[in-house]
């Protein structure tokens, strides 16, 4: 009986230690999860997704568009040399956009972690944010506002090829429809020269009838059309992400500014209370000395 008692006590101690260890791990996990800026994290994921869709699909769609023009609308290289150079420039710009926003989204996520940490310190009466930190938040807010305007322009620009391909798709669908009352299919044409994509003297410059239907059935047209739609959706998602970032940064900046003002007020109030307390003690000392 005496030999079993220490064993039971040791088992109880081990169980208690394991319980404390699991409780410590749980509290550590809760503390880590509490420091995650979930709003910034959601905006970062949306920004990554939108930029990836826009850049990847836009790059492939531009290549397919150039191939389609070379094969069906402009067979002379000199006629579309300018367009080819512009498309190549756009593709390089897409590379730059993808690289830049990858870094910028990570910086904004880091700013979210900084602000969340500052807010937690403020709640623990250990608020140590500086004017430099608030200026960084304001600077990111200004940049995000500019980039949001830029991507709104990109979104509108991306809608142009979607509109052109949509018209061409509808024309082909109308010719294939059994309900269409078309006397001569060859009279229906799509002339890309009128959009300013290629010069007016480009050969052939337009496609009519069965030739137009065959173009709509090519992989270049089908893939480019749908990739432009996905790229447009990606640009829209990026705009939403940047607006989301802008709201987060504005809220963070306002909160940091208010919290800093409140902290300064509390410091002044604490100092005044200490001065009043010291003054009261000195008066009590004087009164006690006068009575003695």
């Amino acid at each position: 009986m005496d030999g079993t008692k220490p064993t039971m006590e040791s088992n109880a101690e081990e169980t208690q230690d394991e319980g404390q260890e699991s409780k410590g791990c749980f509290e550590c996990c809760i503390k880590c999860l509490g420091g995650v800026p979930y709003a910034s994290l959601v905006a970062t994921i949306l920004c990554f997704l939108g930029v990836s869709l826009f850049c990847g699909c836009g790059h492939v769609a531009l290549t397919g568009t150039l191939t389609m023009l070379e094969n069906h609308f402009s067979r002379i290289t000199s006629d579309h040399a300018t367009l080819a150079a512009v498309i190549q420039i756009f593709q390089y710009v897409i590379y730059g956009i993808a690289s830049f926003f990858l870094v910028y989204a990570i910086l904004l996520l880091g700013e979210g972690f900084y602000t969340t940490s500052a807010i937690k310190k403020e709640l623990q009466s250990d608020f140590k944010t500086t004017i430099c930190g608030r200026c960084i938040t304001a600077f990111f807010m200004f940049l995000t506002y500019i980039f949001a305007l830029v991507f709104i322009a990109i979104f509108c620009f991306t809608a142009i090829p979607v509109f052109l391909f949509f018209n061409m798709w509808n024309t082909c669908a109308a010719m294939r429809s059994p309900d269409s009352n078309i006397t001569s299919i060859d009279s229906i044409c799509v002339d890309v020269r009128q959009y300013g994509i290629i010069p007016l003297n480009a050969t052939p410059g337009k496609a009519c009838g069965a030739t137009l239907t065959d173009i709509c059935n090519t992989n270049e047209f089908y893939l480019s059309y749908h990739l432009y739609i996905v790229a447009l959706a990606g640009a829209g998602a990026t705009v939403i992400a940047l607006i989301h970032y802008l709201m987060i940064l504005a809220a963070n900046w306002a909160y940091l500014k208010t919290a800093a003002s409140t902290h300064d007020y509390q410091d002044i109030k604490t100092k005044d209370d200490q001065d009043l307390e010291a003054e009261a003690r000195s008066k009590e000392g004087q009164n006690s000395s006068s009575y003695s």
Side-chain angles (χ1 to χ4, degrees), residues 123-190:
L123 294 175
Q124 298 171 1
S125 299
D126 190 22
F127 191 75
K128 296 180 180 179
T129 188
T130 60
I131 297 177
C132 181
R134 296 195 296 274
C135 289
I136 291 175
T137 301
F139 178 71
F140 277 130
M141 185 168 56
F142 172 76
L143 284 182
T144 304
Y145 178 76
I146 298 299
F147 293 147
L149 294 179
V150 171
F151 244 95
I152 289 175
I154 292 175
F155 176 80
C156 296
F157 181 79
T158 309
I160 295 176
V162 174
F163 174 74
L164 298 180
F165 275 77
F166 177 74
N167 287 339
M168 190 171 175
W169 179 277
N170 277 346
T171 303
C172 293
M175 289 190 299
R176 291 193 298 263
S177 176
D179 298 331
S180 58
N181 297 322
I182 301 175
T183 56
S184 177
I185 296 179
D186 293 334
S187 62
I188 300 177
C189 302
V190 171

Side-chain angles (χ1 to χ4, degrees), residues 50 52-54 57-58 158 162 224-236:
S52 300
L53 290 177
F54 170 75
C57 296
T158 309
V162 174
S224 298
Y225 175 45
H226 290 87
L227 286 179
Y228 276 126
I229 295 175
V230 177
L232 180 65

